[in-house]
Amino acid sequence: MVIDGKLFREIEENCWSAEKRMTECDQTGVNVQVLSTVPVMFNYWARAEDTLDIARFLNDHIAEIVSRYPRRFAGLGTVPLQDPMLAADELGRCVKELGLAGVQIGSHINQWGLENKALYPFYEAAESLGAALFIHPWDVIGAKELSQYWMAWLVGMPAETCRALCSMIFGGIFERFPRLRVAFAHGGGSFPGTIGRIEHGFHARPDLCAVDNPINPRSYLGKFYVDSLVHDPRALSYLIETLGVNSIALGTDYPFPLGELEAGKTIRQLEYLSDADRERLLSGTALEWLGIPRSRFI
């Protein structure tokens, strides 16, 4: 993959081949995988009409794979969120025509945070359609300053996801759109580890933090989903203690280097989990968030 004439990353067959993915999933005991496009393809920077063309191409491709292997894959689309009305229309096509469970969106849309009122028509459409939203960091804040030591990925991405969560909470999105089913990548980024600081700021400076939503940020714990990709059993234990198993779904970031190479390994390392809790983490939460019955994959 090349961006602005510079090599971004080399990708292998497992980035586009359903058959290769199924082979590698079988090796780690993964029965079903949720497909989504890579975030660098969001293309929010481009003209909305051009981004829509690319989004439709990508969405049709994912839907075709899901249709070909319905017991092995579920799918999420992508939409041109720089034009929320176009995005809402494409979301409707994804759900009603293509049979996708929802869409993946970025942690911000150019200069808009996810609280921006311009995005309300898109959120209204997601609620109405019962579409799942997966929020993945992209175009991370301070990326140029974090270019050394891969810190844009190691430091910037967790911070970017925390930014997205705080934007939605402080912006009152979960109050205005209570039926949204939203999941955040990478265990919610740095948000779970800094919820104490965030809550303290809410109480200490309500004139700055509570201007759009008077509700304590801590009260939203358990009202959104995150994936389990935190790379550390102790961190996952803390995440479970903070959010509960009903809010955490297996995540792998497959097939990229920062992913969990053996899917579900960190979950299985927690020997204290009951069978029911382990099953919830490995599949139950994801099915609930996606709005897909388990019977579809049997």
Side-chain angles (χ1 to χ4, degrees):
M1 297 185 73
V2 176
I3 299 178
D4 291 334
K6 297 180 180 180
L7 177 66
F8 175 65
R9 70 164 54 121
E10 293 184 5
I11 57 175
E12 299 179 359
E13 183 184 9
N14 56 14
C15 203
W16 68 82
S17 168
E19 291 73 23
K20 181 65 172 179
R21 283 185 171 232
M22 287 188 291
T23 297
E24 294 189 350
C25 283
D26 288 343
Q27 292 170 356
T28 56
V30 174
N31 305 107
V32 179
Q33 186 182 55
V34 183
L35 301 177
S36 60
T37 191
V38 291
V40 292
M41 297 298 288
F42 287 149
N43 295 311
Y44 298 145
W45 51 268
R47 289 198 318 162
E49 294 81 2
D50 296 336
T51 298
L52 176 62
D53 285 343
I54 296 173
R56 290 174 67 92
F57 174 82
L58 295 168
N59 296 339
D60 288 348
H61 175 63
I62 287 179
E64 190 275 328
I65 293 173
V66 174
S67 177
R68 199 189 326 159
Y69 303 107
R71 294 184 179 180
R72 295 301 302 262
F73 296 110
L76 298 174
T78 186
V79 294
L81 259 182
Q82 65 269 51
D83 185 326
M85 295 306 296
L86 277 183
D89 289 344
E90 179 60 11
L91 174 61
R93 191 180 79 94
C94 285
V95 173
K96 292 189 289 187
E97 296 182 25
L98 301 182
L100 301 180
V103 293
Q104 176 185 224
I105 67 173
S107 48
H108 65 278
I109 315 301
N110 299 327
Q111 302 305 311
W112 297 340
L114 294 184
E115 84 290 348
N116 197 289
K117 292 181 180 179
L119 297 171
Y120 284 5
F122 172 73
Y123 293 140
E124 289 171 359
E127 264 201 332
S128 176
L129 293 162
L133 300 182
F134 182 50
I135 297 177
H136 194 288
W138 88 294
D139 189 29
V140 301
I141 188 169
K144 292 182 180 179
E145 292 78 8
L146 296 173
S147 61
Q148 195 173 15
Y149 306 127
W150 215 30
M151 285 197 292
W153 272 258
L154 303 181
V155 178
M157 279 197 169
E160 186 67 35
T161 304
C162 183
R163 171 193 182 184
L165 251 164
C166 285
S167 293
M168 297 190 83
I169 288 174
F170 285 130
I173 298 302
F174 296 122
E175 293 300 313
R176 183 175 289 271
F177 305 101
R179 292 182 289 113
L180 282 180
R181 299 197 312 279
V182 186
F184 296 84
H186 313 147
S190 58
F191 180 87
T194 54
I195 181 58
R197 181 181 181 87
I198 293 165
E199 181 186 34
H200 179 78
F202 170 82
H203 290 306
R205 293 302 304 267
D207 57 315
L208 299 177
C209 298
V211 293
D212 292 322
N213 182 13
I215 298 175
N216 187 335
R218 189 177 290 274
S219 70
Y220 292 97
L221 299 179
K223 295 184 179 180
F224 54 84
Y225 300 95
V226 301
D227 70 24
S228 65
L229 189 64
V230 293
H231 301 286
D232 187 310
R234 292 170 297 179
L236 182 56
S237 289
Y238 170 75
L239 198 63
I240 291 170
E241 180 182 347
T242 304
L243 299 180
V245 295
N246 288 344
S247 297
I248 305 168
L250 170 64
T252 67
D253 229 7
Y254 170 97
F256 298 114
L258 267 176
E260 185 173 68
L261 300 181
E262 183 182 335
K265 180 179 179 179
T266 307
I267 292 173
R268 294 187 178 96
Q269 285 179 317
L270 302 184
E271 296 180 355
Y272 65 84
L273 290 173
S274 68
D275 290 343
D277 284 349
R278 187 173 290 106
E279 181 65 21
R280 176 74 189 194
L281 292 167
L282 292 173
S283 63
T285 297
L287 291 169
E288 178 181 282
W289 164 63
L290 291 167
I292 299 177
R294 186 181 297 271
S295 58
R296 173 182 148 178
F297 303 108
I298 298 175

